Amino acid sequence: MRAKQRHTGNPFTVAVCTACATDVTAMVVPKLRHVVRNCPHGVLVVTQCLLGTFACGAKTSGRDVMLVVQPCSEDRTPVSGMHWIGPVRDEVDADAVCAWIAAGDWNPANLPANLQAAMNMARLSRTN
């Protein structure tokens, strides 16, 4: 991320799953931490599995990273639905997610298709 990049003032919480801790996790969390620190009303939550063993979109190709972005008010009250993001597989994905969060628009259609978790999970359900 460039030092001159603007960061949103819109409040949000981002929860990142670290249950399948890997090199990807070790790379993604510091990048997310950097974005959140530069957003005055951002909160980062590092947690265990967000979806459960059978539903996790990261399980399809290994141990990738899933996260959720929840737009909220300054008092942390959700103001719209949460956005599932992932699986994040590499640094390119991580940079795209961080730029998307920093922009503060949070329209999932503005993410690369491979990071639109709703689409990825729908594809997975067809193989059940």
Side-chain angles (χ1 to χ4, degrees):
M1 230 180 217
R2 294 187 180 111
K4 293 183 180 181
Q5 184 172 358
R6 288 186 61 120
H7 289 80
T8 185
N10 298 336
F12 67 92
T13 300
V14 59
V16 60
C17 174
T18 60
C20 301
T22 65
D23 292 342
V24 176
T25 308
M27 178 266 306
V28 170
V29 172
K31 286 178 176 283
L32 289 170
R33 189 173 290 128
H34 174 76
V35 168
V36 171
R37 281 185 179 152
N38 285 294
C39 297
H41 302 290
V43 172
L44 176 63
V45 176
V46 178
T47 185
Q48 292 297 307
C49 193
L50 295 163
L51 288 169
T53 304
F54 296 112
C56 185
K59 303 288 186 200
T60 60
S61 64
R63 304 291 187 196
D64 303 316
V65 176
M66 296 294 291
L67 56 112
V68 175
V69 174
Q70 174 68 67
C72 57
S73 64
E74 289 182 23
D75 69 355
R76 315 301 331 147
T77 303
V79 296
S80 68
M82 62 185 171
H83 304 291
W84 287 97
I85 312 299
V88 177
R89 296 188 168 112
D90 56 30
E91 192 162 4
V92 172
D93 288 351
D95 289 342
V97 168
C98 288
W100 182 81
I101 291 170
D105 179 29
W106 306 318
N107 179 348
N110 293 336
L111 283 167
N114 65 304
L115 294 172
Q116 295 177 27
M119 289 175 49
N120 296 330
M121 286 186 241
R123 280 187 218 111
L124 285 174
S125 69
R126 286 182 285 197
T127 61
N128 286 341

